[in-house]
Amino acid sequence: MSKRFCIVLLLLLVSAQLFAQDYKKLMKKGKKHYDRGEINSALHYYLEAEKLEPGNVDLALHIGCAYLLSDYKHYALPYLTKVLKLAPQKDPDIRFYMGLACQHNYQFEEAIEHYNAYAKLRLSNKPDVTPRIRQCQQGDSLISNPVAVEIENLGSAINSPAHDYAPIITPDQSVLVFTSRREGSTGGQKTADGESFEDIYICYRRGDNWTAPVQISENINYDYHDAAAGISANGRELYLYIEENGGDLYRSVFDGSDWSEPEPLPDPINTPYWETSLSITPDGKRLFFASDRPGGQGDLDIYTSERQADGKWGLPVNLGPTINTAGSEDSPYIHPDSKTLYFSSDGRRGLGGYDVFRSEWSGQQWQKPVNMGYPINTPDDNFHFIMAENRTQAYYTSVQEGGEGKADLYRITFLDEKVNAILAAAKKKKEEAAAVRSEAKPVLPAAAVYSGQLLDAESGKPLQGTLTIADPQSGNIISVAQTDEQGIFSLSVEKEGLYALSAESDGYIILSRTLKISRMGEKTRHMNTDLRMSAIKVGTKAIMANIFFETGKSNLRTESIIELDKIRDFLQRSPSIKIQINGHTDNVGKAHYNKQLSQKRAQSVMDYLVNNGIEAGRLSVMGYGQERPLFSNDDEEEGRALNRRTEIEVLSF
């Protein structure tokens, strides 16, 4: 072995060791924050770790679980799907997590399947999934009958890159008050999870626009958290929630130039328990608020209190089981008509989490609450719904794709069928115009065109078949092509990167390649090659180029799923075929260790196929270690990397 080769090998080993140390440090920091409930910080470190080991299954589980606890629950699904496919044994609750992830992506049928599978498991202290199944059933019904609304983000003039929430408006929509965690909060303090403390902002309507939000007052915004809870009809009395005495409600009055220092509402409104959001009737004579004081129907309940002749508030009355449930009811808002109550509840059938409901006062009692429907309600929590006096518009908080930041303020416009049809026609016209403009713009050409001829490996005759290029990271199919009568194919790839190429033809074993696509400036790279496929017969082997393992381990990486599913589909199409899965390594390390490792890796592939519907009797494994190299191990890229491979070999057909 040459001196130069020894130095290169040593540098590679040192680099790999440092790489592994960095990964472990990031994972340790991520878990530390996760255990503390600091999900934003945990995700930061997990996603940094993903840059170092993008296919690690353990990491995928950590990221998926963290996303389920974040404001972006729908991002969990692709990560958890990979875990379920590759290593379902890693967490006994994986089916429950998958149910949640599917539910938050509106895949209700799939969510119900996962919840039912989870319910059958014999696990101690597992959560009851029955309410979740009911939510999914309700979700299907609500989505099938959406309400006619237009939901629009209030834009960067109001929303920031941080959380903006809890909108409060006067009945005439002239004043908007909301809570924000944007940069520049009073005191400049931040939570352990890296978010600014809450401050209250105010803005005013000027025609069709809002003035820029400003911090409401130094008398109101302290160095700690400050949150708005409600506002009077004339916009001169502001009610706040402050974390004192278990969480109390306060009142501030505008004197024409500034807001007074908040004073706590007296007994019997505030108690040593939690009193949160509040709404007051336009005449100022009746309060609605949420509290978890003893004697309620469940956790948070909605109460009402009437102002007495002496100006004091009367003993709060629980709205009873018609409104309150064994769960929590929060964010009450009494409409200016003083007889329509809007609130959020997690104790009623909805899409998941808190849904917004409406109840009407009949003159003697509150009517059965009605779900406000989809798309107002989503599988996530929906709070702070405020209906304007004209009932045409409402405001609420939501986390949606394409927002200005995290949670944003949105305006809901309620439409009748005629208006909705006009809006749909206008939207279609706008989309058509955008499409025309898009066609007129210069488009960057494809990064590469991969073409050639598909041939029989022995005879050289053209083959009819299907070729596919896929992104192993996302699992997305990038390009598909059918060969013509001469076996000629052509596939286009828009972006540079590493891709998985496969070719399939009846009577032939799968062909697998890894494609590295790099762009040539603004020119398209043309790649031309002939692909030769081997007919199915005893002893036929095929290298599965896109099966990957963690370094030095037998754990499959998530990029392998596309290739593994190709093998599964191949075996399902040919139910009489039996195969052997062969594992091979390079010559780095001890020979007996490499042989054991290659055997375990082959077994991991077999386990995946069995877990995904292939009979174990059709599969066997063999680990050859470093015994059968295809190339010299003296070169990493052209030798050792190619010798580390997984093959499938036909035993019978």
Side-chain angles (χ1 to χ4, degrees), residues 363-564:
Q364 295 182 331
Q365 61 183 0
W366 291 103
Q367 301 299 301
K368 182 180 179 180
V370 176
N371 191 296
M372 290 295 290
Y374 170 83
I376 295 172
N377 286 319
T378 69
D380 211 337
D381 292 332
N382 301 278
F383 286 112
H384 315 302
F385 181 90
I386 307 291
M387 179 70 80
E389 186 173 18
N390 61 13
R391 294 182 183 271
T392 300
Q393 292 181 315
Y395 297 78
Y396 80 149
T397 308
S398 183
V399 177
Q400 298 185 17
E401 294 285 347
E404 297 294 334
K406 298 178 179 178
D408 279 351
L409 303 184
Y410 285 79
R411 178 168 52 216
I412 304 168
T413 301
F414 290 81
L415 310 164
D416 59 28
E417 291 186 7
K418 182 177 180 180
V419 174
N420 200 28
I422 294 172
L423 183 69
K427 183 179 180 182
K428 183 179 180 181
K429 186 175 181 180
K430 183 178 179 181
E431 290 173 347
E432 290 172 348
V436 171
R437 289 195 300 271
S438 177
E439 290 175 1
K441 292 179 180 178
V443 178
L444 196 65
V449 172
Y450 187 80
S451 58
Q453 194 174 18
L454 191 65
L455 305 170
D456 180 284
E458 292 186 0
S459 67
K461 71 175 183 179
L463 296 179
Q464 302 292 299
T466 303
L467 292 95
T468 304
I469 293 178
D471 180 353
Q473 289 285 351
S474 66
N476 295 331
I477 302 300
I478 304 301
S479 184
V480 178
Q482 302 286 336
T483 61
D484 64 13
E485 294 179 356
Q486 299 302 314
I488 295 173
F489 63 86
S490 180
L491 301 110
S492 178
V493 181
E494 298 299 322
K495 299 179 181 179
E496 57 188 358
L498 285 174
Y499 296 95
L501 168 73
S502 65
E504 298 165 276
S505 181
D506 290 342
Y508 289 79
I509 199 165
I510 307 168
L511 183 144
S512 168
R513 297 284 188 273
T514 299
L515 287 183
K516 184 176 182 180
I517 304 295
S518 56
R519 182 178 288 281
M520 297 178 61
E522 294 187 359
K523 295 182 179 180
T524 298
R525 179 185 297 274
H526 290 274
M527 306 168 68
N528 190 279
T529 186
D530 290 341
L531 298 176
R532 296 180 178 270
M533 300 187 70
S534 298
I536 296 173
K537 58 185 179 181
V538 175
T540 299
K541 299 176 185 177
I543 296 173
M544 297 291 98
N546 298 295
I547 293 180
F548 309 100
F549 300 89
E550 293 180 25
T551 304
K553 298 180 182 180
S554 60
N555 298 334
L556 285 159
R557 298 179 68 87
T558 59
E559 301 100 311
S560 308
I561 291 175
I562 287 179
E563 195 93 314
L564 293 166

Side-chain angles (χ1 to χ4, degrees), residues 598-619:
S598 64
Q599 181 81 14
K600 290 178 181 178
R601 286 181 168 179
Q603 185 64 48
S604 293
V605 174
M606 177 175 170
D607 291 342
Y608 179 92
L609 295 172
V610 171
N611 289 334
N612 285 272
I614 303 301
E615 295 177 11
R618 300 177 61 194
L619 308 170

Side-chain angles (χ1 to χ4, degrees), residues 8-69:
V8 171
L9 179 59
L10 178 62
L11 290 174
L12 288 172
L13 291 173
V14 171
S15 176
Q17 187 176 15
L18 292 174
F19 182 90
Q21 289 175 352
D22 288 341
Y23 174 79
K24 289 179 179 178
K25 286 180 181 178
L26 290 169
M27 290 297 293
K28 186 176 180 180
K29 288 180 179 179
K31 188 176 186 306
K32 182 179 179 181
H33 286 288
Y34 183 89
D35 291 342
R36 291 177 176 175
E38 297 161 6
I39 303 304
N40 291 333
S41 298
L43 276 169
H44 167 75
Y45 288 109
Y46 287 153
L47 294 174
E48 285 297 310
E50 188 184 23
K51 295 176 183 177
L52 299 180
E53 290 202 24
N56 188 292
V57 182
D58 286 318
L59 177 56
L61 178 61
H62 281 82
I63 294 176
C65 289
Y67 270 130
L68 285 179
L69 295 175

